[in-house]
Amino acid sequence: MMQDGSASIVPNTGESLVERAAAAKETLADIYVLPESHRTIRDKCEILRLTHLRRRGRPMGGLRLAQLSSAGKTSCFEQYRDKVIADLRASTGIDNPYVVLLVGLESSTTPKELCQTVLEALGDQNHMIGTKKELIDRMRKFIVDCDVQLLVIDEVQHLKGKRNDRRDVTDMLKKLLQDGIVPIVFVGDETSPELFRMNEQLGNRCGTPLSLRPLPMTQEGNREFAKFCLKLQKQMLALNIISREGALSENNCIEKLRLYSRGHLGRVSRIVAEALEAAILRNAATVEAVDINYAIENFAMANNYLGTMKK
């Protein structure tokens, strides 16, 4: 075994290490440390959901969130959905996996395809059958019958532009709000606000945009960032992903993560996942500085996390 802190990244291709790395990354992917920004988004979504519980058939509102890729948007809404389902089960005994429904758009999504995606998510075994109108009518009925109380549409940046099919999808979603079928949260990348500039009526229904900004480069922001790293490491220890503390409690590594993630906590998790793989493949007991450096150089910089590629 290499000495801690002095090992170079030389992957060991032994099957046991490969399997251990895969299992560790799978476990790491299920770890969720709740940042304050996610808590705020949860609260806003919950207000939207509860406001419209008894408003079926009357005009409804929505919310929108725009942030760059890898900022943690998907995990934020997945964790919110899981919490609502669990809370509903605990308080009422009702087990409704559809109470908050998450669906994603493809770049070429048409109204018919979106209906099929929603119907499939709601368990309709005939989701591929029907004309456009039949699918729209069935989707609206399924949403009500399955008691979907909040619909989250991801990757809405694909609806930008003047193509007829994109405008048709936007109009269909707008009609869900106008007819009081379900409130909607629109989630997209940093270019998605253009969609709402082109569709003022839809933008007006979505109120004040949600914010998932990176932690600010302030003393308070730095403390919150370090706290996130420590909590992440604590959960990794608790789940036996690592066997002792390491880079996530070292100031110099925390500062590097701060720099190369630009304060986006979702990006921290991705860098740590790459570092964890490197650490396990060299049979290390924990994620160390050498692993963080490796992940930054080969993953963060390769994916332009700094915004400007540095050769």
Side-chain angles (χ1 to χ4, degrees):
M1 180 182 296
M2 296 285 190
Q3 291 297 312
D4 290 339
S6 62
S8 60
I9 301 297
V10 181
N12 184 324
T13 56
E15 186 178 11
S16 61
L17 289 181
V18 169
E19 290 177 344
R20 187 152 60 91
K25 289 186 74 175
E26 181 183 5
T27 304
L28 178 65
D30 290 333
I31 291 178
Y32 179 68
V33 178
L34 177 63
E36 191 58 38
S37 57
H38 286 204
R39 191 187 306 277
T40 301
I41 288 174
R42 280 186 179 187
D43 290 346
K44 294 287 188 180
C45 289
E46 196 63 352
I47 290 171
L48 178 67
R49 182 181 74 88
L50 295 174
T51 298
H52 293 89
L53 279 182
R54 289 174 289 278
R55 290 189 60 85
R56 296 276 193 197
R58 290 184 285 174
M60 294 182 173
L63 290 168
R64 57 184 171 116
L65 170 66
Q67 188 49 269
L68 51 75
S69 177
S70 304
K73 300 186 297 294
T74 301
S75 65
C76 175
F77 286 101
E78 287 177 343
Q79 293 293 328
Y80 164 67
R81 173 201 60 200
D82 293 347
K83 184 177 187 303
V84 172
I85 292 171
D87 288 351
L88 182 66
R89 185 188 303 119
S91 62
T92 67
I94 297 173
D95 190 6
N96 181 4
Y98 307 125
V99 62
V100 175
L101 186 68
L102 275 63
V103 296
L105 298 177
E106 301 292 339
S107 58
S108 60
T109 297
T110 63
K112 184 174 181 178
E113 289 168 340
L114 178 55
C115 288
Q116 290 169 338
T117 299
V118 172
L119 286 167
E120 182 180 19
L122 292 175
D124 180 8
Q125 296 183 354
N126 298 315
H127 64 276
M128 298 298 293
I129 300 173
T131 65
K132 172 183 168 182
K133 184 181 185 309
E134 288 170 342
L135 286 166
I136 290 175
D137 290 344
R138 197 155 83 243
M139 177 192 70
R140 290 162 63 102
K141 185 177 187 303
F142 261 71
I143 287 174
V144 175
D145 290 349
C146 293
D147 194 25
V148 178
Q149 297 175 6
L150 188 67
L151 177 61
V152 181
I153 304 287
D154 200 4
E155 307 291 352
V156 297
Q157 69 272 7
H158 294 316
L159 297 180
K160 295 184 306 176
K162 297 181 179 179
R163 280 174 36 180
N164 288 341
D165 54 350
R166 294 177 179 177
R167 187 169 61 247
D168 289 347
V169 173
T170 304
D171 288 344
M172 182 181 72
L173 293 172
K174 204 160 38 175
K175 196 82 162 60
L176 291 180
L177 296 176
Q178 291 170 348
D179 293 349
I181 303 298
V182 67
I184 303 174
V185 181
F186 298 86
V187 183
D189 68 13
E190 69 275 21
T191 70
S192 60
E194 182 184 339
L195 168 66
F196 300 94
R197 286 193 291 270
M198 297 175 62
N199 296 271
E200 291 185 3
Q201 187 180 13
L202 180 60
N204 288 336
R205 285 191 176 275
C206 292
T208 304
L210 298 172
S211 176
L212 190 58
R213 295 190 180 95
L215 290 174
M217 296 294 286
T218 61
Q219 191 172 22
E220 182 179 352
N222 291 338
R223 280 198 302 269
E224 187 67 24
F225 188 89
K227 188 185 302 182
F228 175 86
C229 292
L230 290 171
K231 287 181 178 178
L232 179 58
Q233 180 175 254
K234 184 177 180 180
Q235 291 199 38
M236 291 170 70
L237 282 165
L239 293 170
N240 295 316
I241 297 175
I242 55 177
S243 60
R244 63 172 178 79
E245 293 183 354
L248 293 178
S249 54
E250 297 172 5
N251 288 336
N252 61 329
C253 289
I254 291 174
E255 288 172 5
K256 284 184 179 179
L257 287 170
R258 183 86 164 95
L259 172 64
Y260 282 90
S261 68
R262 287 198 161 187
H264 290 286
L265 300 181
R267 291 187 165 189
V268 175
S269 298
R270 285 174 169 79
I271 294 172
V272 170
E274 296 300 313
L276 174 65
E277 178 180 317
I280 292 176
L281 290 178
R282 65 185 183 86
N283 207 17
T286 191
V287 173
E288 299 170 333
V290 64
D291 306 309
I292 295 294
N293 291 338
Y294 175 82
I296 286 173
E297 181 177 345
N298 293 279
F299 174 73
M301 293 181 66
N303 284 284
N304 204 19
Y305 273 16
L306 275 181
T308 301
M309 288 296 289
K310 297 184 178 181
K311 303 293 185 183

